[in-house]
Amino acid sequence: MPRRRQPSDIEVPLTPMLDVAFQLLTFFILTFKPAPLELQFDLNLLPSEPQTQPEPEPPPEESPSDEPPAIRSFQVTLLSDPGGNLAGIELEELRFDSVSALRTKLEDLLQNPDYAFDQALIRSQPDLHWEHLVEVLNVFSELGLTKVNFTETR
Amino acid sequence: MARPVLHDVKYQPDLTPLLDVVFQLMTFFIMVSNFNQEVYDQRVRLPVAGSARPIVDATEDKLVLNIDPEGRLLFNNQALGTEQAIKEIRYQADLARLNADAAGVPISAGEPLPTTIILRADRETPFTEVFALVRACQDVGFTRFDLRALSGPAL
């Protein structure tokens, strides 16, 4: 005659598992440091020596020609003070005191259909802090100018 | 008057829901933890640029250059000066070519390397230091660059 099994009452001790889980949780909470959101600029830089030799030409104000507009390059020079701060920006023969002034001028230039800018060459003085060059890159990026190269000037 | 007899009551709270919550919290913290801290050095304070686009981490072939405010390359827990950094960049380019050879897609000396350079330069690094490393990268055949910036002011 088979023995009848008695109903078993198995209790799994959850307390040790909970202890470990709480310790792990404490570790993660204490070491948690949310990283700021990083973004990226994609750049396809030209070779070391600048290939562009832009020669500024005034936009044709009269007698619109049938020829396609010339593809030209912005040449921007960033000037720095001894502390590495931005002291001025030169766009060809123009000079600006701030990035916002440069942006306004670039917006005007890019609205002119006679200009066809497709790239920019940023020349920077050696001491300038990297953040100021990124500011200018940011302006070009916002205006849709993504072909950018940079070089150093004395 | 006799006090009521207290029976031996065995009180067993149900710990399962608590354990569920704890595990869910643990899962959250594990997933948001930054395990790439050695590569993405937190000592580098990136500049801010609102128009940069979110990172698309599609490429696996990348070389991260963390540059501190003095222009030193933070690489493998070492701060390399410019000359050492340039040597390291050349070495990494040689490695990239060897890897390409091993994969059966050899890259000749003049051809650009497929590796993307992730440039994480501190906001106060002088331009000349960053440019020296960028030019070193270009000289050995790296052409793809991702400049890293923050979406807003650093915490």
Side-chain angles (χ1 to χ4, degrees), chain B:
Chain B
M1 182 179 167
R3 294 174 62 190
V5 177
L6 287 174
H7 294 284
D8 187 14
V9 177
K10 193 176 180 185
Y11 176 66
Q12 286 187 321
D14 187 5
L15 294 179
T16 313
L18 183 58
L19 204 57
D20 288 346
V21 172
V22 170
F23 273 121
Q24 287 202 20
L25 283 171
M26 269 177 53
T27 308
F28 167 76
F29 281 108
I30 289 171
M31 293 190 74
V32 298
S33 289
N34 185 6
F35 292 108
N36 289 330
Q37 283 187 350
E38 286 187 9
V39 178
Y40 297 105
D41 202 309
Q42 300 295 315
R43 289 172 289 179
V44 174
R45 296 171 309 138
L46 295 175
V48 175
S51 75
R53 66 181 182 82
I55 295 170
V56 181
D57 222 358
T59 175
E60 289 186 1
D61 192 0
K62 60 190 174 187
L63 174 62
V64 182
L65 301 184
N66 291 291
I67 306 173
D68 74 359
E70 284 76 38
R72 295 172 301 184
L73 178 65
L74 304 175
F75 200 83
N76 286 341
N77 290 326
Q78 287 181 311
L80 307 177
T82 306
E83 286 186 15
Q84 284 178 301
I86 290 173
K87 278 184 191 169
E88 183 64 42
I89 288 168
R90 286 185 186 142
Y91 176 67
Q92 293 295 329
D94 291 341
L95 278 182
R97 287 203 168 83
L98 282 174
N99 285 337
D101 283 347
V105 193
I107 301 170
S108 61
E111 274 186 276
L113 293 167
T115 308
T116 302
I117 300 290
I118 311 283
L119 192 60
R120 297 183 79 253
D122 191 281
R123 64 184 71 164
E124 291 186 359
T125 309
F127 172 75
T128 185
E129 306 289 352
V130 181
F131 184 61
L133 297 185
V134 169
R135 198 159 54 180
C137 290
Q138 290 177 298
D139 288 344
V140 294
F142 294 113
T143 58
R144 297 178 187 176
F145 290 83
D146 279 351
L147 306 188
R148 290 292 163 91
L150 293 182
S151 59
L155 298 174

Side-chain angles (χ1 to χ4, degrees), chain A residues 11 14-15 17-18 20-22 24-25 28-29 32-49 122 124-135 137-139 141-142 149-154, chain B residues 10 12 15-16 18-19 22-23 25-26 29-30 32-34 40 42 46-56 119-128 130-131 134-135 138-139 143-151 155:
Chain A
E11 290 181 4
L14 289 180
T15 316
M17 187 188 285
L18 203 56
V20 172
F22 268 119
L24 284 171
L25 185 62
F28 281 114
I29 289 173
F32 179 63
K33 185 184 176 189
L37 182 61
E38 280 190 24
L39 305 173
Q40 70 180 20
F41 287 107
D42 291 335
L43 291 183
N44 232 331
L45 295 183
L46 300 171
S48 311
E49 294 302 317
I122 302 176
S124 172
Q125 289 192 324
D127 292 338
L128 187 74
H129 286 170
W130 177 245
E131 63 180 330
H132 301 300
L133 188 129
V134 172
E135 271 184 78
L137 273 178
N138 190 41
V139 169
S141 173
E142 283 177 350
N149 201 3
F150 42 76
T151 186
E152 190 176 331
T153 183
R154 293 283 166 190
Chain B
K10 193 176 180 185
Q12 286 187 321
L15 294 179
T16 313
L18 183 58
L19 204 57
V22 170
F23 273 121
L25 283 171
M26 269 177 53
F29 281 108
I30 289 171
V32 298
S33 289
N34 185 6
Y40 297 105
Q42 300 295 315
L46 295 175
V48 175
S51 75
R53 66 181 182 82
I55 295 170
V56 181
L119 192 60
R120 297 183 79 253
D122 191 281
R123 64 184 71 164
E124 291 186 359
T125 309
F127 172 75
T128 185
V130 181
F131 184 61
V134 169
R135 198 159 54 180
Q138 290 177 298
D139 288 344
T143 58
R144 297 178 187 176
F145 290 83
D146 279 351
L147 306 188
R148 290 292 163 91
L150 293 182
S151 59
L155 298 174

